């Protein structure tokens, strides 16, 4: 299958390793990956903070970049949730305000082909074992958008359980928010920090070496506290775990030139 | 006052458009109601569930045949040490055994407060929630009767027990204009640290006699 | 017994109030405990109800329908309630509601009232108005009594005193009921309240309540409660005055089928609450001889006029969203500066205030969606929060510092060229803030990876982040740079 990657603005800028891992996994599974270069941002930050006018132009940009793709894969639940929950309404609004009348239909046609990375593997491809190897103790954080908006269920855990060598340890209060919430973490920093400290405590209680998730936004938040507290526990996007194999592990051990971050 | 009425209704209409009873009725018919509306358990299971739920509320449940009700009442009252019982008009006389029974004559609140016990029948029982439905009819009386005394003995026929809340609401529809009280166990509060405490202002003790051969 | 009611017009910003409350360890412990208990009970009872989602959908449609035809159903309620011997009054705002109730109490010849817990009367600050008119109000719900005697404020819709623990309640009762030897077992405290209020139930001739539902078809009222204080107030006095928001009307009796199943399971985690009372108007020989309903607008028509915000009025006040909300669970209810706290308060209060106050409340959420998931009438609270944020942004104007920044970022996202330039610029701009680390904290593979540095301090609006968290610095190469190089290789 020809898969178009929507990397998302913050993964592009801050977490390129996640994008590379997505490419690795998809190519390993025999798919062709393309990267429409005009892509930027889904508009979530603006839309959710109340800047709807500013978010609107990002919809036609996304549609024109991706409407010819067979499938669009996005390594971020919250960006996919943004599209599924708000793009139809945004298209309505653009049309109502005299914008491109075709946008309503084009958006509706495109959205069913947009997948969050883990759900693309489990739901679209019907896979749980993608041939990964990762000999570590890992806990999974369910992001709110993945859990509630996309209904990922235990799909990500099934993928992780199929990884050779990986020991998946369950976190307490899985469904509880880490307190990120986009600009919430800045606007309500004190409450956000209080929520975060519960989440990091839950992560530490699992005894895991790493915490993974389908969203780097939550992970950046959790990692921020884990690092500040010098806990030594790392966070890593699920794609990076699934990209790891015995072969890549061996290559990494011998070849010190490749810079992944 | 009329000015306020007109202003509010006008604001409502300009907020969302004018409606009419006909338009509302048509739209109302389209409301989905696909939730469970009929019983799924056998009669035996329904009665078993009803008893179980009542016991969860710490109500004691006794079974009696129609002929045994008086004796059952006398037994329950003597077990509770009750000697004087308030009753509504229309409660079968043959049930009134084992204590002094005083019929309600529209007593004042203060007089009602002088009664520690009340005995009534009921309109319906709901098994899934352990609920008993009281209405202002013969044998059940006005609402204050089953409220002020601290102990309530309720006599209910097994064929008045339904499984679901929905069935009960449908059976109540023809008498929906009567004062109706659904009670589920003794009065309770969880306002202090979410600890459930039985018995605040309504009756603290409830017993039920289920009448029937089932 | 006077106290300062929660008032959105004078309340501090959510962030400010929250910061203070986060420092109250006892309060946070109490709130956490109570919301945990209710949530666990609720979860079990929702799971056993196989038709839960069907009940929710039906209830949503009923409530939305009632709002869509509110003029018809209020008119029908008024007609049927009047025919049943009741009197309907209409109040445009809080002041009018206060005037009506004060006049009715005086007319009833009483200088005291007993009250059933009612958030609507809290909203219109009725007790202060009664007091000013020389009328003494006794709250009879245990939690409201604790609040009243403790000169406190409600912090939760269903369990208004959940921020207090047993020791704190004992102190209040000891002091105000003159019971020096009172124990601190919940049963002792409830018993003290029972004895304190009994005499008032039997003596006071006038009662004030809210209502859970008004039934248009029967002119009926439904009041849902647990302690029996509600039944006392609505059957023993001679006069009953119910203050009810106009949105509380439902079309027909049969609409109770889903609603009275959803409400107790959502609110207190019970299959059914101990008492549901249903009646219409005056029933000779049974209950009050005079029955008044005061229909209150107080900003509700304003909410109704906003087609996206309108669903807020579907609320049946179960507080499940408060119990589920990770923000409320940290701060408790007082931070919201309104009797309506938590997620529902964050959308209801600013709308009732015509968006003139409480503008920080729509931001008091991480948009995690837990509220929407538990809402028994499916109010999409996150969607309404976002909608209200948009209104706040429009109010603040383009010249607000945040707005200028957001507009600049939006311009960046509208062009690939500007986006790439910004990515480069970002790496340069952050340079002075980045502390490089020799030691890698990675304990897994990729040992060779050059770890980027970390940012421990950010300026201005972003400083909240780095109070408790570090921020990973930007990697040297963006994904798109790597992709392009890979294509060329």
């Amino acid at each position: 299958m020809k898969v178009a990657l929507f990397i998302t603005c913050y993964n592009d800028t801050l977490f390129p390793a996640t994008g590379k891992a997505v490419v690795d996994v998809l190519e390993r599974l025999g798919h062709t990956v393309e990267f429409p270069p005009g892509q930027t941002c889904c508009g979530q930050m603006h839309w959710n903070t109340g800047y709807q006018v500013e978010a609107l132009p990002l919809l036609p940009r996304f549609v024109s970049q991706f409407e010819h793709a067979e499938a669009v894969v996005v390594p971020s639940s919250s960006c996919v949730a943004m599209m599924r929950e708000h793009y139809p309404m945004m298209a309505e609004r653009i049309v109502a305000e005299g914008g491109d009348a075709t946008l309503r239909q084009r958006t509706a046609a495109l959205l069913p082909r947009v997948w969050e990375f883990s759900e693309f593997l489990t739901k679209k491809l019907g896979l749980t074992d993608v041939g990964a190897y990762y000999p570590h103790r890992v806990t999974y954080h369910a992001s709110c958008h993945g859990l509630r908006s996309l209904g990922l269920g235990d799909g990500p855990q099934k993928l992780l359980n199929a990884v050779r060598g990986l020991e998946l340890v369950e976190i307490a209060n899985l469904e509880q928010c880490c307190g990120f919430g986009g600009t919430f973490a800045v606007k309500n920093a004190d409450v956000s920090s209080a929520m975060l400290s519960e989440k990091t405590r839950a992560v530490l209680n699992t005894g895991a070496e790493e915490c993974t998730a389908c969203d780097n936004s939550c992970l950046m938040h959790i990692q921020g506290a884990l690092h500040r507290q010098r806990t030594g526990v790392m966070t890593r996007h699920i794609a990076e775990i699934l990209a790891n194999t015995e072969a890549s592990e061996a290559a990494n051990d011998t070849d010190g030139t490749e810079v992944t971050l | 006052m009329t000015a306020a009425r007109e202003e509010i209704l006008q604001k409502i209409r300009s907020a969302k458009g004018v409606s009419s009873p006909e338009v509302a009725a048509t739209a109302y018919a389209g409301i989905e109601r696909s939730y469970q509306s009929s019983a799924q358990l056998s009669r035996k299971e329904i009665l078993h569930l009803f008893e179980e739920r009542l016991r969860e509320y710490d109500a004691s449940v006794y079974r009696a045949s129609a002929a045994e009700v008086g004796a059952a009442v006398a037994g329950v009252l003597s077990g509770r040490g009750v000697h004087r019982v308030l009753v509504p008009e229309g409660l079968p006389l043959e049930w009134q055994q084992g204590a002094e029974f005083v019929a309600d004559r529209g007593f004042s609140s203060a007089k009602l407060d002088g009664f520690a016990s009340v005995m009534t029948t009921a309109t319906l029982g709901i098994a899934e929630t352990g609920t008993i439905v009281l209405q202002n009819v013969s044998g059940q009386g006005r609402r204050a009767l089953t409220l002020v005394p601290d102990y309530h003995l309720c006599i209910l026929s097994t064929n008045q027990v339904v499984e679901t809340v929905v069935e009960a609401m449908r059976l109540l529809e023809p008498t929906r204009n009567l004062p109706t009280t659904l009670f589920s166990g003794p009065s309770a509060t969880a306002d202090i640290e979410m600890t459930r405490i039985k018995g605040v202002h309504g009756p603290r003790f409830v017993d039920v006699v289920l009448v029937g051969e089932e | 017994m006077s106290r300062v009611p929660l008032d959105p017009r004078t309340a501090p910003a959510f962030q400010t109030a929250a910061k203070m409350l986060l420092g109250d360890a006892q309060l946070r412990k109490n709130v956490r405990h109570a919301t945990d208990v209710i949530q666990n009970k609720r979860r079990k009872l929702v799971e056993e109800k196989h038709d839960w989602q069907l009940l929710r959908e039906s209830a949503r449609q009923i409530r939305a329908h009632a709002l869509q035809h509110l003029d018809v159903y209020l008119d029908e309620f008024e007609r049927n309630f009047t025919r049943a011997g009741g009197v309907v009054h209409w109040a445009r705002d809080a002041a009018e509601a206060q005037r009506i109730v004060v006049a009715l109490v005086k007319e009833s010849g009483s200088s005291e009232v007993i009250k059933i817990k009612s958030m609507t009367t809290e909203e219109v600050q009725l007790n202060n108005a009664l007091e000013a008119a020389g009328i003494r109000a006794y709250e009879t719900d245990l939690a409201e009594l604790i609040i009243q005697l403790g000169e406190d404020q409600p912090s939760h819709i269903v369990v208004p005193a959940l921020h207090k623990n047993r020791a704190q309640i004992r102190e209040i009762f000891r002091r105000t009921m003159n019971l020096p030897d009172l124990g601190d077992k919940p049963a002792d405290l409830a018993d003290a309240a029972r004895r304190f209020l009994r005499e008032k139930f039997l003596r006071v001739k006038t009662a004030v309540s809210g209502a859970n539902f008004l039934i248009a078809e029967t002119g009926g009222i439904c009041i849902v409660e647990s302690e029996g204080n509600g039944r006392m107030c609505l059957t023993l006095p001679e006069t009953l005055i119910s203050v009810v928001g106009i949105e509380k009307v439902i079309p027909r009796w049969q609409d109770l089928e889903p609603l009275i199943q959803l409400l107790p399971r959502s609110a207190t985690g019970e299959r059914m609450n101990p008492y549901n009372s249903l009646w219409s108007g005056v029933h000779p020989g049974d209950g009050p001889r005079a029955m008044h309903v005061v229909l209150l607008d107080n900003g509700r028509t304003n909410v109704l006029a906003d087609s996206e915000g309108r669903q807020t009025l579907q609320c049946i006040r179960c507080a499940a969203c408060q119990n589920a909300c990770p923000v409320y669970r940290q701060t408790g209810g007082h931070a919201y500066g309104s009797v309506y706290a938590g997620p529902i308060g964050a959308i209801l209060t600013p709308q009732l205030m015509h968006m003139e106050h409480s503008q920080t409340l729509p931001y008091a959420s991480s948009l995690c969606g837990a509220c929407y998931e538990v809402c028994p009438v499916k109010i999409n609270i996150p969607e309404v929060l976002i909608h209200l944020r948009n209104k706040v942004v429009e109010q603040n104007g383009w010249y607000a510092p945040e707005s200028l920044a957001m507009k600049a970022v939006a311009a960046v996202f509208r062009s690939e060229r500007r986006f790439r330039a910004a990515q480069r610029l970002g790496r340069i701009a952050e340079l002075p803030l980045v502390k490089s680390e020799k030691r890698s904290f990675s304990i897994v593979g990729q040992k060779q990876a050059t770890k980027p540095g970390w940012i421990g301090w950010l300026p201005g609006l972003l400083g909240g982040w780095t109070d408790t968290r570090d921020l990973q610095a930007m990697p040297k190469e963006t994904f798109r740079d790597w992709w392009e190089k890979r294509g060329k290789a």
Side-chain angles (χ1 to χ4, degrees), chain B residues 193-195, chain C residues 28-38:
Chain B
E193 294 185 10
M194 299 314 295
T195 307
Chain C
R28 289 176 70 190
K29 198 172 150 214
N30 297 347
V31 172
R32 171 56 45 93
H33 169 76
T35 51
D36 275 345
V37 172
I38 315 179

Side-chain angles (χ1 to χ4, degrees), chain B residues 1 3-5 7-9 11-21 23-37 53 56-57 109-110 112-113 126 128-129 131 134 136 141-144 146-150 164-166 168-170 172-173 175-197 199-204, chain C residues 33-34 37-38 48-49 51 54-55 57-58 61-62 65 67-75 78 88-92 96 140-143 159 165-166 169 186-187 189-191 193-194 197-198 201-202 217-218 226-229 231-232 234-236 246 251-258 260-261 265 270-280 283 285-287 297 301 304-305 310:
Chain B
M1 203 171 80
R5 180 186 193 276
E7 192 178 321
I8 292 171
L9 286 173
K11 273 188 173 170
I12 291 171
R13 291 185 186 115
S14 62
K16 53 88 200 161
V18 181
S19 182
S20 71
V23 172
T26 309
Y28 185 85
I31 293 174
E32 278 175 51
R33 294 173 199 275
S34 37
Y35 47 79
Q36 186 195 333
S37 57
R53 291 278 185 265
E56 281 171 24
Y57 294 131
S109 300
L112 279 183
D113 195 38
I126 307 171
E128 70 168 341
T129 55
T131 301
L134 300 169
N136 187 345
R142 61 191 172 117
R143 288 169 290 176
T146 51
L147 173 65
V148 179
D150 208 14
T164 64
V165 171
V166 179
M169 295 311 286
R170 291 185 185 175
L172 290 170
E173 184 117 30
T175 55
R176 66 197 176 197
N177 287 316
L178 291 172
T180 300
T181 306
L182 284 74
F183 81 93
S184 307
S187 74
T189 183
D191 279 349
I192 301 167
E193 294 185 10
M194 299 314 295
T195 307
R196 190 180 162 97
I197 302 155
V200 191
H201 305 295
R204 285 186 286 189
Chain C
H33 169 76
V37 172
I38 315 179
E48 77 173 23
K49 203 71 193 151
D51 56 350
L54 299 172
L55 288 164
E57 179 55 25
S58 186
Q61 292 187 22
I62 289 165
H65 168 88
L67 295 171
Q68 189 59 45
H69 304 279
L70 192 57
D71 45 341
V72 170
Y73 292 122
L74 285 172
D75 186 61
E78 182 182 44
V88 173
H89 310 259
W90 300 73
R92 281 166 285 205
E96 192 164 23
T140 67
D141 170 76
L142 180 53
V159 197
N165 69 9
R166 64 183 74 186
I169 296 165
L189 300 169
D191 198 48
R194 179 184 168 94
L197 289 170
R198 190 75 174 185
F201 288 135
L202 299 174
E217 164 187 56
T218 61
S226 297
E227 296 169 12
N229 66 305
R231 291 181 69 197
M232 291 281 180
L234 61 91
T235 55
L236 298 186
I246 50 172
R252 298 189 193 169
W253 173 272
Q254 66 166 336
D255 300 325
L256 292 167
E257 290 172 6
I260 64 165
Q261 296 193 75
R265 284 177 201 253
E270 294 170 295
R271 292 192 179 87
M272 191 61 86
N273 48 289
Y275 299 124
N276 288 337
S277 293
L278 289 144
W279 79 99
S280 25
H283 300 278
D286 188 347
D297 180 348
T301 47
L304 193 69
R310 184 181 299 160

Side-chain angles (χ1 to χ4, degrees), chain B:
Chain B
M1 203 171 80
T2 3
R5 180 186 193 276
E6 290 319 311
E7 192 178 321
I8 292 171
L9 286 173
Q10 188 44 49
K11 273 188 173 170
I12 291 171
R13 291 185 186 115
S14 62
K16 53 88 200 161
V18 181
S19 182
S20 71
E22 296 71 33
V23 172
T26 309
Y28 185 85
I31 293 174
E32 278 175 51
R33 294 173 199 275
S34 37
Y35 47 79
Q36 186 195 333
S37 57
S38 54
Q40 291 180 336
L41 303 175
S42 70
R43 284 306 300 167
K44 198 177 163 196
E45 288 167 329
I46 291 171
L47 291 175
H48 179 77
L49 180 63
F50 184 53
E51 285 191 44
E52 192 179 290
R53 291 278 185 265
L54 288 171
R55 292 202 176 99
E56 281 171 24
Y57 294 131
D58 292 324
S60 296
V61 186
Y62 304 90
R63 289 292 198 97
S65 70
E68 299 163 345
V69 177
V73 166
V76 174
L77 293 179
S78 109
R80 286 272 184 189
V82 170
H83 305 293
R84 187 161 167 267
V85 181
L86 177 65
V87 291
E89 302 242 359
L91 195 73
L93 278 174
E94 64 271 22
W95 293 358
Q96 303 182 21
Q97 290 183 30
E100 177 198 350
F101 292 87
V102 183
D104 174 39
R105 296 189 296 275
F107 295 126
S108 68
S109 300
K111 284 255 172 64
L112 279 183
D113 195 38
F115 288 94
S117 306
V118 63
M119 179 166 97
T120 70
T121 180
T123 300
L124 283 174
I126 307 171
E128 70 168 341
T129 55
T131 301
I132 291 174
V133 182
L134 300 169
Q135 291 183 299
N136 187 345
V137 291
S138 172
Q140 299 177 41
R142 61 191 172 117
R143 288 169 290 176
L145 291 193
T146 51
L147 173 65
V148 179
D150 208 14
Y151 170 64
H152 182 190
L153 175 57
C154 190
I155 299 166
L156 187 65
S157 163
T158 50
N159 59 30
Q160 289 170 285
V161 180
V162 297
E163 181 184 325
T164 64
V165 171
V166 179
E167 289 170 276
M169 295 311 286
R170 291 185 185 175
L171 287 169
L172 290 170
E173 184 117 30
T175 55
R176 66 197 176 197
N177 287 316
L178 291 172
T180 300
T181 306
L182 284 74
F183 81 93
S184 307
S187 74
T189 183
D191 279 349
I192 301 167
E193 294 185 10
M194 299 314 295
T195 307
R196 190 180 162 97
I197 302 155
K198 231 189 359 158
V200 191
H201 305 295
R204 285 186 286 189
F205 308 98
V206 177
D207 288 332
V208 177
V209 175
L210 268 179
V211 184
E213 318 305 326
E214 285 176 79

Side-chain angles (χ1 to χ4, degrees), chain A residues 114-223:
Chain A
V114 176
W115 303 87
E116 182 275 327
F117 171 68
S118 78
E119 79 175 348
F120 179 75
L121 299 178
T122 56
K123 293 186 186 167
K124 173 70 178 168
L125 301 180
L127 296 172
T128 48
D129 187 348
V130 295
Y133 167 73
Y134 201 70
H136 299 285
R137 190 175 161 90
V138 174
T139 190
Y140 171 72
H141 163 70
S143 76
C144 298
H145 284 115
L147 188 73
R148 299 196 178 90
S149 303
L150 306 188
L152 296 183
D154 59 357
Q157 288 101 319
K158 282 187 179 149
L159 289 167
L160 291 167
N161 270 321
V163 174
R164 284 182 303 283
L166 187 146
E167 184 197 351
L168 184 65
V169 277
E170 206 178 310
I171 192 169
N173 302 317
L174 178 76
E175 71 297 333
Q176 198 168 306
C177 177
C178 72
F180 175 62
T183 48
F184 174 77
V186 179
K187 280 176 176 282
N188 278 286
D190 297 303
V191 182
S192 168
S193 294
M195 290 160 69
L196 176 58
S197 74
E198 280 179 31
K199 186 55 75 183
T200 50
R201 205 176 310 136
V203 170
L204 294 174
N205 283 344
T206 63
E209 300 160 61
E210 295 199 348
C211 175
T212 189
C214 299
D215 286 81
N216 273 328
S217 48
C218 305
L219 291 179
M220 174 173 75
H221 191 229
I222 295 169
Q223 181 74 80

